[in-house]
């Protein structure tokens, strides 16, 4: 199977997939790099385009440090209130009791942003459940060097003994007992886009436009598994209807099963469920970009 995942760079739950807009100083360089790749090998899938835009090792939006927060491109619940982290600290305490208070409790957070959630959660545990805090090993799985630096600056002064970092899920040890937290992570996985074009199910690809910009072109699906997804979920696309298929989630969930031997994985995101997720009322699909706190459907 050939598809990009965030973890290939070194890292249908959800109706809102996000493409962050690359920082302005990197836009021209990254656009030129992607354009050269298309000119050499032909149009690329939307999933591959997203993978480059978000996770290119030097120029990607998340790699170089996304603009997160109330005045940024987008914000997340931990940035709004410390109550979010305190709630998950209580959740971790509940899981600890269910597991029989293991000698080491591993808590793995994926996509920890600026470290705000970890900061609030760890502070709450140290204050209200010092026994668990003493047994805690907190893993931050972060692909972005810029965000890792921000997390270290925030967390190391108070929690150096319990925090550790890994760049991708494959580097986290297997067989752990504890908890996994992933807040607004799945919505940033690259997705394939299928569309019913006059009765034919085609995939959206990104090609080069006449003005050296990018444009959407249509070709047969890049892999049979995409059509298998439609059949499995009994999705009948009406003419002109689009749907996103997130193949990267499958790989990620398999890895979660390797990492967590005993415990609970809490995956937090926002969206609809089937069948509403795939209803004709959503015929334009749900792929959106965020920039400066505003939303655009021009990815």
């Amino acid at each position: 199977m050939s598809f990009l995942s965030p973890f290939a760079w070194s890292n249908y739950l959800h109706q809102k997939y996000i493409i962050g807009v690359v920082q302005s100083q990197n836009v021209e360089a990254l656009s030129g790099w992607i354009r050269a790749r298309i000119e050499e090998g032909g149009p690329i899938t939307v999933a591959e385009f997203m993978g480059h835009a978000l996770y290119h090792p030097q120029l990607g939006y998340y790699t170089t440090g996304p603009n997160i927060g109330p005045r940024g491109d987008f914000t997340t619940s931990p940035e709004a209130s410390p109550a979010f982290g305190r709630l998950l600290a209580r959740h971790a305490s509940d899981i600890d009791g269910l597991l029989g208070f293991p000698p080491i409790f591993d808590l793995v957070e994926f996509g920890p942003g600026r470290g705000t959630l970890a900061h609030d959660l760890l502070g709450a545990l140290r204050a209200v459940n010092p026994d668990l805090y003493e047994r805690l090993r907190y893993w931050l799985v972060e692909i972005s060097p810029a965000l890792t630096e921000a997390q270290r600056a925030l967390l190391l002064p108070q929690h150096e003994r319990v925090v550790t970092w890994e760049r991708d899920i494959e580097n986290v040890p297997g067989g752990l007992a504890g908890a996994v937290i992933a807040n607004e992570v799945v919505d940033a996985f690259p997705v394939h886009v299928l569309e019913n074009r006059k009765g034919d199910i085609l995939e959206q690809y990104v090609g080069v436009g006449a003005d050296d910009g990018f444009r959407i072109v249509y070709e047969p699906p890049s892999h049979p598994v995409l059509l298998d997804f439609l059949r499995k979920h009994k999705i009948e696309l009406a003419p002109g209807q689009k749907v996103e298929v997130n193949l990267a989630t499958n790989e990620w969930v398999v890895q979660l099963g390797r990492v967590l031997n005993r415990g609970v994985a809490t995956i937090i995101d926002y969206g609809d469920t089937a069948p509403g997720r795939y209803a004709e009322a959503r015929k334009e699909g749900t792929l959106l970009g965020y920039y400066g706190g505003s939303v655009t459907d021009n990815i």
Side-chain angles (χ1 to χ4, degrees):
M1 184 182 301
S2 177
F3 62 88
L4 274 179
S5 78
F7 315 111
W9 281 115
S10 113
N11 132 5
Y12 61 62
L13 293 174
H14 182 287
Q15 109 187 27
K16 175 181 60 66
Y17 296 105
I18 296 174
I19 289 184
V21 178
V22 182
Q23 293 180 6
S24 57
Q25 64 266 32
N26 296 322
V27 168
E28 187 173 336
L30 181 57
S31 296
W33 185 89
I34 296 175
R35 187 161 50 247
R37 188 178 181 92
I38 294 172
E39 290 171 343
E40 179 181 353
I44 59 177
T45 65
V46 168
E48 183 174 350
F49 177 81
M50 288 181 67
H52 297 321
L54 298 180
Y55 302 107
H56 183 283
Q58 286 80 43
L59 303 171
Y61 178 80
Y62 284 112
T63 310
T64 55
N67 188 9
I68 304 174
R71 297 186 179 182
D73 294 320
F74 62 93
T75 192
T76 60
S77 296
E79 301 292 336
S81 169
F84 196 85
R86 293 169 186 165
L87 177 66
L88 288 174
R90 180 171 179 176
H91 178 57
S93 297
D94 291 342
I95 297 169
D96 184 41
L98 291 172
L99 296 177
F101 310 101
I104 297 177
F105 186 95
D106 287 289
L107 200 161
V108 185
E109 183 185 356
F110 291 93
R114 298 191 300 187
T116 305
L117 171 57
H119 175 268
D120 296 337
L121 190 158
L122 289 170
L125 278 184
R126 188 168 58 180
V128 303
N129 193 344
D131 174 67
L132 174 55
Y133 184 84
E134 287 300 311
R135 293 180 285 113
L136 186 67
R137 191 164 52 179
Y138 198 105
W139 304 81
L140 296 99
V141 182
E142 179 57 69
I143 193 173
S144 168
L147 286 176
T148 298
E149 184 177 346
Q151 294 157 14
R152 289 181 179 274
L154 181 63
L155 298 175
L156 286 178
Q158 299 179 44
H159 307 290
E160 182 176 7
R161 185 188 61 79
V162 300
V163 292
T164 187
W165 278 264
E166 292 293 351
R167 183 167 170 78
D168 60 68
I169 190 173
E170 294 178 354
N171 291 338
V172 180
L176 304 182
V180 162
I181 293 174
N183 179 53
E184 295 205 57
V185 171
V186 178
D187 68 350
F189 284 11
V191 295
H192 296 260
V193 181
L194 300 179
E195 182 174 341
N196 183 332
R197 302 281 290 180
K198 298 180 180 179
D200 294 325
I201 304 300
L202 299 178
E203 182 171 0
Q204 288 190 0
Y205 289 70
V206 178
V208 176
D211 59 352
D212 281 340
F214 298 112
R215 65 188 181 96
I216 295 294
V217 298
Y218 295 88
E219 295 189 7
S222 56
H223 198 282
V225 72
L226 296 169
L227 297 179
D228 291 342
F229 178 88
L230 298 185
R231 286 190 287 266
K232 177 181 178 182
H233 296 284
K234 298 180 174 60
I235 300 170
E236 297 284 345
L237 294 181
Q241 185 178 357
K242 307 169 189 174
V243 67
E244 299 88 23
V245 182
N246 184 342
L247 296 180
T249 304
N250 297 336
E251 174 188 341
W252 185 67
V253 170
V254 169
Q255 289 282 6
L256 285 187
R258 177 192 63 81
V259 167
L260 197 60
N261 183 44
R262 297 174 61 239
V264 175
T266 303
I267 302 169
I268 304 166
D269 259 301
Y270 309 89
D272 204 351
T273 57
R277 166 67 181 82
Y278 307 112
E280 189 175 352
R282 299 190 184 279
K283 67 180 302 179
E284 293 302 316
T286 61
L287 180 59
L288 299 171
Y290 282 75
Y291 175 64
S294 62
V295 180
T296 176
D297 60 4
N298 182 358
I299 63 167

